[in-house]
Amino acid sequence: MRAQSSATTAPRIAVAASRDRAGLGTLQAALGVIAFSLTFPATAWGLEGFGPWSLVAVRSVLAAVIAGGCLLALRVPLPDRRHWPGLAVVGGGVVLGFPLLTTLALRTSTTAHAAVVVGLLPLTTALGSALRVGTRPSRTFWTASLAGAAAVLAFTVQQSGGALSTADLYLFGALLVCAAGYTEGGRLARVMPGWHVIGWALVLCLPLTVPMAALALAQEPVRLTAHSVTGLLWVAAGSQFVGLVVWYRGMAAIGIPKASQLQLAQPLLTLVWSVLLLGEHLPVAAPLTAAAVLVCIAVTQRARG
């Protein structure tokens, strides 16, 4: 009887543990989305006192110092050489490519407009995952994802008057490189802690970001203000390191496609921050887009790949 009871209880414990892990993973991914939603307003603040190249380079160096300090203090060994190409993709996508392209776009674009364009990131990340990792989400998942992307795209086109600007091209390029970085980072987070992934990616980029920061600071004017310093510190510590740590941990726990769909809420959160922190006008279409996106999130989280 005892053996039979143990055999019955063990699967229940395993199922409960799996649910707890999924719940924690969803929470971590959601915290990452909240951190990322503040990136564009913080970047806009940073651009008040720094040039675009200076802001991107200095934020990467500061984030690398924080990450390197943590890696050194905890005596984390160097990653295996087989992981270095993947870390290079993460570095090129989320450490350099996405920050640089979005910062260049924000010189002429509002944070609200940039946020809705980047709202297509969940779909591009899911596509990258299907190609790179071999995941095969269900048809319901793809239908909901495409519906969410369509809602975001319709919002973008309506706000831009149907014409794409140079800022939009920067943003679409940012989507591609960031999706590659997220996909590779999510894959690596299955075999090493998520914070190791972004930490080593930041450190490996130092040979590029340190000279870039020195050159940019010498060429671009710097004006230190409360806004510019706060913006720089947030994009360095919050967006570039802490946000990515919890984000990669979340992706490792619940899977890249499902985690990426939580980012459908990111542009809507950024719209709120743009009003509260920057005083931008909230588009009338935003509540309708918010409702459509939240429905899509609910469907994708229930869909099983």
Side-chain angles (χ1 to χ4, degrees), residues 53-74:
W53 292 88
S54 298
L55 182 61
V56 171
V58 173
R59 72 179 268 186
S60 298
V61 171
L62 289 178
V65 170
I66 297 172
C70 293
L71 292 168
L72 185 62
L74 296 176

Side-chain angles (χ1 to χ4, degrees), residues 191-208:
V191 296
M192 67 174 72
W195 78 272
H196 289 191
V197 175
I198 185 58
W200 284 120
L202 285 163
V203 171
L204 289 175
C205 285
L206 277 174
L208 293 175

Side-chain angles (χ1 to χ4, degrees), residues 7-24:
T8 305
T9 303
R12 293 179 180 176
I13 295 176
V15 170
S18 177
R19 288 177 178 174
D20 290 343
R21 183 171 182 269
L24 179 59

Side-chain angles (χ1 to χ4, degrees), residues 27-51:
L27 175 61
Q28 290 172 327
L31 290 175
V33 169
I34 293 173
F36 299 153
S37 72
L38 282 160
T39 300
F40 286 174
T43 300
W45 275 6
L47 285 172
E48 293 180 11
F50 295 90

